[in-house]
Amino acid sequence: MTGTLTGSTVGTGGGTGDEEQRLARAALTYLAEPGDPALGALLEICEPGEVLAAIKAGQLPAAADWRIAAAGRHIAPAAARARHAALAQALGRWRLRLPDLPHDLVATCGNDIRLVCPSDPEWPGQLDELGPARPYALWLRGTVSLRSTTERSASMVGSRAASGYGAHVAGEIAADLAERDWAVVSGGAYGIDAAVHRGVLATGGTTITVLACGVDHAYPAGHDGLFTAIAASGLVISEWPPGSHPTRLRFLTRNRVIAALTKGTVIVEAGERSGALNTARHAAELNRPLMAVPGPVTSPQSAGCHRIIREWGGALVTCAADVLEMLVPLGEAASPELERSRLPAAERTRSEAASASAPLSRDDLDLDSLRVLDAFPARGGTGPATIARKAGVEIDTVIRCVGLLAGCGFIERGEQGWRLTRKAR
Amino acid sequence: MTGTLTGSTVGTGGGTGDEEQRLARAALTYLAEPGDPALGALLEICEPGEVLAAIKAGQLPAAADWRIAAAGRHIAPAAARARHAALAQALGRWRLRLPDLPHDLVATCGNDIRLVCPSDPEWPGQLDELGPARPYALWLRGTVSLRSTTERSASMVGSRAASGYGAHVAGEIAADLAERDWAVVSGGAYGIDAAVHRGVLATGGTTITVLACGVDHAYPAGHDGLFTAIAASGLVISEWPPGSHPTRLRFLTRNRVIAALTKGTVIVEAGERSGALNTARHAAELNRPLMAVPGPVTSPQSAGCHRIIREWGGALVTCAADVLEMLVPLGEAASPELERSRLPAAERTRSEAASASAPLSRDDLDLDSLRVLDAFPARGGTGPATIARKAGVEIDTVIRCVGLLAGCGFIERGEQGWRLTRKAR
């Protein structure tokens, strides 16, 4: 598929109209910075091709007014006009970059660079949770499917100035996740990011690096070989078109994609002002599990991790099993053994997966587990000490039973501690 | 006061009858193991002198039957008789130790050993939360008041096989607590316990060691000098009478006193099977704040600490300020500056202390703090991400405001995250 933008849509019957919209999205990645709220808002009411034509023409499409009003529902005509004016003004900003647009967009894709758009089957639906801030499109190097790879994925990020301890632990946890058939997503920096990718590559697993520059551009230059190795078995992806250079702001913009692509985010090491805390914040804002690896309290590189656990409610994780405990939907098999017998991901429903693990009914529970289950409040979460007191059992018993009860889908971990699932209420 | 048991009761007008009860309690520490549930139950319905007489006579007092019935309220006569029989049987067990009883109990106290009983003004009332398992009495070496010292105290315990990291951090946190006028309570073992005491002694602060043997007995022998130094400015205490030797079980029994004496417990390092986890469990059962210091996930000595944070709901603490944040009642001054101007502890009420910190009314709050406060649910706890979403502010703003709101007593940290205080509801 050399020199085309169709990438993953091959064979899915994308017509000429679709192709035009995809080319328009490719063009938009040249004209606007990712996450631009004005462009995000415009793409919610106009086709990409219309937006591109409007930028070229220097004025919004005629239908934009009523679409703005429709999108805003009960918006007053004056407010709609104000929004229209703001968008028209943004057009001017984007027009400034028109000279950057390649004459032949199709030619910007080489043998190993392709584009994935929101309308493509390969688009990972979880990115849509970013709302108007979702990427306009993604540029990819690598052949595996972005969508199916990220269905079972965790992000792991951390300081560039990693300690030997942090790099070691990052590599170990990443390798263990890969061995359990989980993909790992990270940035492309020195330190923790590199340790994560190398840990996965050593096991032959799938790793994904999300760059803040074009996928043809190695930043840092010393990672040229690493990115090539990642693309050979995994993916190098970016919101910026080929040829783009990174900026400080782009790293921060990029972080929301790392968080949004994955089921949860693990911070391995982070100083008090590390960019990894920005990724952590995105994970928290997306309500995805946020995890952090502890370290010595004497190590500045662990200070951010400890803060995430202490103040942000992040979970303390020490190994891949801890990470998966936070990520695997309750009742779904977390062990590699059960997962080897996997169906194609799209066909596997949660209920099917749940039926693979036993026991599932109250009748199958031992007496201690029943006692512990009955001690849970009808609403809200609780901690093991309270349960132990109410159930009249040792806290150790509670801890043992909680594992079983969560595995059977009777309880789940919520923001406020363990709580009953709907099934158990 | 050489050779008397009156110790801290001097000058408080304890009469002959009181002295007899105190001597009886001293005797009981020779006859029964601490925490014996039968003796605890008996002491709830009989005077210590009556119990001692019953042991010597080999039969329960005549009035025991109706007292058992009265204590059990609606207990059936048959059940009362069964309890009577069980207690009478326990008498036989305690009688076996009658030969161990010193001929002259008063003489067992030297210049620097004294007894503190539940009826004494120096008795720390927080021990009564142990219920029937509260100590019969405590033997003390040292001159400071057990009661007033433990009013502002934290326990810090951990592995004997401490790492250099653990010993360093234990000493640092203990010294910092002492510098803020907090007493520290620990065991007497090598490793973390010793590091805690040495850290406090280096600052001239007050440290308390709770032994599982007589206070005249140095175990381990290498800590003879350490215990003498502790007694010179703090306290060496034990439930076992002078001359007692430690046993494995006695260490576990002792742990409940360490937890019960203090406002909260910090585990500095603990392997998966460390005795420190037993102390942690007691703290959790007493609903006192349980804290743990994280460490490298590659260090077996930190595995128990990480488990406490992950599974028991313990708070991650990295320094003395983190510990005090968990221990200082909301609205009370945590900073040493404010505390220097302290009144005698007995006269200081919480409301007086609260009035020292400003601002205290909603009118004094900034707009962001008000917005965050209003986003808290009326009942139950919540996490910063949820609050940020509801308040429509950045998670950073929430984190900043939470500190202020907690300091002003509007919110508090509960088992299920942050929640409104009664004042704020």
Side-chain angles (χ1 to χ4, degrees):
Chain A
M1 291 289 105
T2 310
T4 94
L5 281 174
T6 50
S8 62
T9 63
V10 170
T12 62
T16 321
D18 285 355
E19 195 53 28
E20 186 191 317
Q21 300 304 335
R22 300 182 75 254
L23 276 170
R25 283 190 174 269
L28 291 176
T29 69
Y30 284 88
L31 302 182
E33 281 298 306
D36 183 325
L39 185 53
L42 204 50
L43 282 171
E44 285 185 338
I45 55 172
C46 298
E47 289 289 328
E50 274 183 301
V51 176
L52 181 61
I55 295 172
K56 285 179 173 168
Q59 59 179 35
L60 286 176
D65 267 332
W66 68 259
R67 285 186 194 154
I68 289 170
R73 301 285 161 162
H74 304 295
I75 197 169
R81 277 194 300 277
R83 282 200 202 174
H84 185 119
L87 290 175
Q89 194 178 18
L91 284 188
R93 190 166 74 231
W94 303 325
R95 279 176 65 78
L96 294 177
R97 288 202 187 171
L98 275 175
D100 299 340
L101 205 56
H103 292 294
D104 184 2
L105 269 172
V106 173
T108 59
C109 291
N111 236 337
D112 60 348
I113 298 182
R114 58 205 173 89
L115 190 79
V116 173
C117 292
S119 54
D120 294 341
E122 193 182 341
W123 182 257
Q126 62 269 31
L127 288 181
D128 298 344
E129 289 180 38
L130 288 168
R134 81 169 178 183
Y136 318 132
L138 288 171
W139 296 88
L140 273 71
R141 262 175 81 193
T143 54
V144 297
S145 158
L146 177 61
R147 181 185 190 129
S148 55
T149 307
T150 54
E151 264 172 2
R152 285 160 58 89
S153 70
S155 43
M156 290 181 65
V157 297
S159 293
R160 271 172 300 170
S163 72
Y165 161 73
H168 167 75
V169 173
E172 288 285 313
I173 296 180
D176 277 2
L177 287 172
E179 280 182 348
R180 294 164 195 228
D181 283 338
W182 278 69
V184 182
V185 176
S186 190
Y190 287 124
I192 297 298
D193 292 8
V196 163
H197 294 304
R198 293 208 171 96
V200 175
L201 290 173
T203 68
T206 305
T207 190
I208 298 175
T209 180
V210 185
L211 301 184
C213 56
V215 294
D216 58 341
H217 184 84
Y219 183 89
H223 278 174
D224 196 5
L226 178 63
F227 296 159
T228 302
I230 291 172
S233 58
L235 292 168
V236 177
I237 73 178
S238 175
E239 296 180 79
W240 288 269
S244 306
H245 290 257
T247 67
R248 202 180 150 75
L249 190 64
R250 285 179 173 177
F251 285 110
L252 295 175
T253 304
R254 179 272 319 261
N255 290 341
R256 78 194 196 293
V257 175
I258 293 180
L261 267 180
T262 55
K263 296 278 187 206
T265 297
V266 180
I267 314 297
V268 182
E269 274 193 331
E272 281 284 9
R273 295 170 178 283
S274 168
L277 294 181
N278 176 259
T279 312
R281 194 174 300 118
H282 283 298
E285 283 170 359
L286 287 161
N287 276 315
R288 306 274 173 87
L290 171 60
M291 295 157 273
V293 176
V297 298
T298 48
S299 164
Q301 284 101 325
S302 287
C305 291
H306 296 152
R307 195 172 153 204
I308 286 170
I309 298 166
R310 264 184 69 74
E311 299 178 9
W312 300 21
L316 183 154
V317 291
T318 66
C319 59
D322 288 352
V323 174
L324 291 185
E325 194 187 307
M326 297 294 296
L327 300 188
V328 177
L330 295 161
E332 192 170 311
S335 75
E337 291 72 25
L338 284 166
E339 287 165 358
R340 297 287 173 210
S341 65
R342 63 195 151 143
L343 300 160
E347 293 171 44
R348 194 178 55 207
T349 68
R350 184 175 298 192
S351 64
E352 279 174 351
S355 69
S357 68
L360 278 170
S361 92
R362 287 176 74 97
D363 297 342
D364 295 316
L365 294 175
D366 61 292
L367 270 179
D368 275 346
S369 298
L370 267 176
R371 206 171 286 158
V372 167
L373 183 59
D374 288 340
F376 273 81
R379 285 166 180 283
T382 190
T386 311
I387 291 296
R389 214 166 346 108
K390 286 177 69 182
V393 301
E394 290 285 313
I395 201 162
D396 267 352
T397 309
V398 174
I399 288 159
R400 181 177 58 77
C401 296
V402 156
L404 178 75
L405 292 170
C408 298
F410 288 108
I411 61 171
E412 61 191 5
R413 196 193 282 268
E415 269 188 1
Q416 313 178 351
W418 291 96
R419 65 184 177 203
L420 292 180
T421 57
R422 274 198 199 154
K423 165 184 171 180
R425 260 182 240 137
Chain B
M1 290 290 106
T2 311
T4 92
L5 281 172
T6 50
S8 61
T9 62
V10 170
T12 62
T16 320
D18 284 356
E19 194 53 29
E20 185 191 319
Q21 299 304 333
R22 299 181 76 253
L23 276 170
R25 283 192 174 268
L28 292 176
T29 68
Y30 283 88
L31 302 182
E33 282 297 308
D36 184 323
L39 186 53
L42 203 49
L43 283 171
E44 285 185 338
I45 55 172
C46 298
E47 288 290 329
E50 275 183 300
V51 176
L52 181 61
I55 295 172
K56 286 179 172 169
Q59 59 179 37
L60 286 175
D65 267 332
W66 69 259
R67 287 186 194 155
I68 290 170
R73 302 283 161 164
H74 305 296
I75 197 169
R81 276 194 300 277
R83 283 200 202 175
H84 185 120
L87 290 175
Q89 196 178 17
L91 285 188
R93 192 166 74 231
W94 303 325
R95 277 177 67 79
L96 293 177
R97 288 201 187 171
L98 274 175
D100 299 340
L101 205 54
H103 290 295
D104 184 1
L105 270 172
V106 174
T108 59
C109 290
N111 235 338
D112 60 347
I113 299 183
R114 58 205 173 88
L115 190 80
V116 173
C117 292
S119 55
D120 294 341
E122 192 182 342
W123 182 257
Q126 63 269 32
L127 287 181
D128 298 344
E129 288 180 39
L130 288 168
R134 81 169 178 183
Y136 317 133
L138 289 171
W139 296 88
L140 273 71
R141 262 175 81 193
T143 54
V144 298
S145 157
L146 178 61
R147 181 184 191 131
S148 55
T149 308
T150 55
E151 262 171 5
R152 284 161 58 90
S153 69
S155 42
M156 290 183 64
V157 297
S159 292
R160 272 172 299 171
S163 72
Y165 161 73
H168 168 76
V169 172
E172 287 286 314
I173 296 180
D176 277 2
L177 287 172
E179 280 182 347
R180 294 165 194 229
D181 282 337
W182 278 70
V184 181
V185 177
S186 189
Y190 287 125
I192 298 298
D193 291 7
V196 164
H197 294 304
R198 294 207 172 96
V200 175
L201 290 174
T203 69
T206 305
T207 190
I208 298 175
T209 179
V210 185
L211 301 185
C213 56
V215 293
D216 59 341
H217 185 86
Y219 183 90
H223 277 174
D224 196 6
L226 178 63
F227 296 160
T228 301
I230 292 172
S233 58
L235 291 169
V236 177
I237 72 177
S238 176
E239 298 181 79
W240 287 270
S244 305
H245 290 256
T247 67
R248 202 180 152 76
L249 189 63
R250 285 179 173 177
F251 285 109
L252 296 175
T253 304
R254 180 271 320 259
N255 289 342
R256 78 194 196 295
V257 175
I258 293 180
L261 268 181
T262 55
K263 296 279 187 205
T265 296
V266 181
I267 314 297
V268 181
E269 274 194 331
E272 280 284 8
R273 295 171 178 281
S274 168
L277 295 180
N278 175 260
T279 312
R281 193 174 300 115
H282 284 298
E285 284 170 359
L286 287 161
N287 277 315
R288 306 275 172 87
L290 171 59
M291 296 156 272
V293 176
V297 299
T298 49
S299 164
Q301 283 101 324
S302 287
C305 291
H306 296 153
R307 195 172 152 205
I308 286 169
I309 298 165
R310 264 184 69 73
E311 300 179 8
W312 300 21
L316 182 154
V317 291
T318 66
C319 58
D322 287 353
V323 174
L324 292 185
E325 195 188 305
M326 297 293 296
L327 300 189
V328 177
L330 296 162
E332 191 169 312
S335 77
E337 291 72 26
L338 284 166
E339 286 165 0
R340 296 287 173 210
S341 65
R342 61 196 153 142
L343 300 160
E347 290 170 48
R348 195 179 55 207
T349 67
R350 185 173 302 191
S351 63
E352 278 172 351
S355 69
S357 67
L360 278 170
S361 92
R362 288 176 73 98
D363 297 341
D364 295 315
L365 294 175
D366 61 293
L367 270 180
D368 276 344
S369 299
L370 268 177
R371 207 172 283 158
V372 166
L373 183 59
D374 289 338
F376 273 81
R379 285 167 179 284
T382 188
T386 310
I387 291 295
R389 216 165 345 106
K390 285 177 71 183
V393 300
E394 290 285 311
I395 200 163
D396 267 354
T397 309
V398 173
I399 287 158
R400 180 176 59 76
C401 296
V402 157
L404 178 74
L405 292 170
C408 298
F410 289 108
I411 61 171
E412 61 191 6
R413 196 193 283 268
E415 269 188 2
Q416 313 178 352
W418 291 95
R419 65 183 177 203
L420 292 180
T421 57
R422 273 197 200 154
K423 164 184 174 180
R425 261 184 239 135

